[in-house]
Amino acid sequence: MHEKHGSSAIDKYDFLDTPEERELQNAIVSAEIEGFVFSEKDIEAVRKLRDGQMTIKEVTASVAEGRL
């Protein structure tokens, strides 16, 4: 994923043109309106959860260890 310039994670990072990625983009925009800020690692963690590559427990451990 390549970082681009912009104020929103939607503007900063690359997203595929798929229904799942559009749903992720919509969720990010909604959360950003509430004040949340997303990093590339945050987005990658959500994708891994969504795609069944990791469980919530695995993502939590990876975040705690600084791997995500």
Side-chain angles (χ1 to χ4, degrees):
M1 186 181 309
H2 298 86
E3 187 170 342
K4 299 182 231 175
H5 298 287
S7 59
S8 170
I10 302 303
D11 298 328
K12 289 181 181 180
Y13 305 111
D14 296 324
F15 292 87
L16 298 175
D17 188 22
T18 65
E20 294 83 9
E21 289 290 284
R22 284 190 292 279
E23 186 176 343
L24 176 56
Q25 289 176 336
N26 290 338
I28 289 169
V29 168
S30 295
E32 286 177 336
I33 289 170
E34 297 297 321
F36 290 94
V37 177
F38 291 87
S39 70
E40 182 176 1
K41 288 183 176 185
D42 297 329
I43 294 167
E44 193 59 35
V46 170
R47 286 179 174 146
K48 286 179 185 264
L49 282 168
R50 178 194 68 203
D51 297 341
Q53 295 174 357
M54 294 180 88
T55 65
I56 291 174
K57 191 178 222 179
E58 291 170 324
V59 168
T60 302
S62 293
V63 169
E65 296 169 3
R67 293 183 286 134
L68 272 180

